[in-house]
Amino acid sequence: SVYASTDGTVSKVSKEGETFILEITHGDDFKTVISGIDHAYVAEGDTIYGNIPIGYSNGNGYTVCLYSADGLITEYDISGGTVVWKSTTDGEVAG
């Protein structure tokens, strides 16, 4: 099963070959893009939760990328159920 990093809204569902790409908006400046999953359980506009599966992978692997308004987030942690990342300008920022 594949889960989102935190609650949000599915803003886009697309296919690349035989796999799905899901874009999930978590707020004004935070989104997740999950690519390479074999089955998507959600549709555009669905509200999703971090503790309920949004898709399934047959074990061939998938990719999860987190984005802020500044671009790809490469340094982050999960603290108390919230994603916290390093901003390039002001130190730590909670997502």
Side-chain angles (χ1 to χ4, degrees):
S1 293
V2 177
Y3 295 82
S5 57
T6 189
D7 302 351
T9 302
V10 178
S11 51
K12 185 175 182 180
V13 176
S14 58
K15 279 194 89 170
E16 184 175 275
E18 296 297 316
T19 62
F20 288 89
I21 301 169
L22 304 177
E23 184 175 302
I24 303 158
T25 303
H26 304 286
D28 292 337
D29 67 342
F30 178 45
K31 72 178 179 179
T32 303
V33 176
I34 301 172
S35 59
I37 63 173
D38 298 294
H39 304 282
Y41 303 152
V42 296
E44 288 182 25
D46 285 356
T47 298
I48 55 104
Y49 303 94
N51 62 343
I52 298 175
I54 58 172
Y56 178 79
S57 171
N58 288 333
N60 297 326
Y62 60 91
T63 303
V64 177
C65 296
L66 306 174
Y67 294 89
S68 72
D70 295 330
L72 181 65
I73 299 169
T74 57
E75 296 183 42
Y76 63 91
D77 195 11
I78 306 293
S79 176
T82 301
V83 177
V84 179
W85 66 84
K86 286 272 192 187
S87 170
T88 55
T89 54
D90 2 348
E92 282 193 358
V93 179

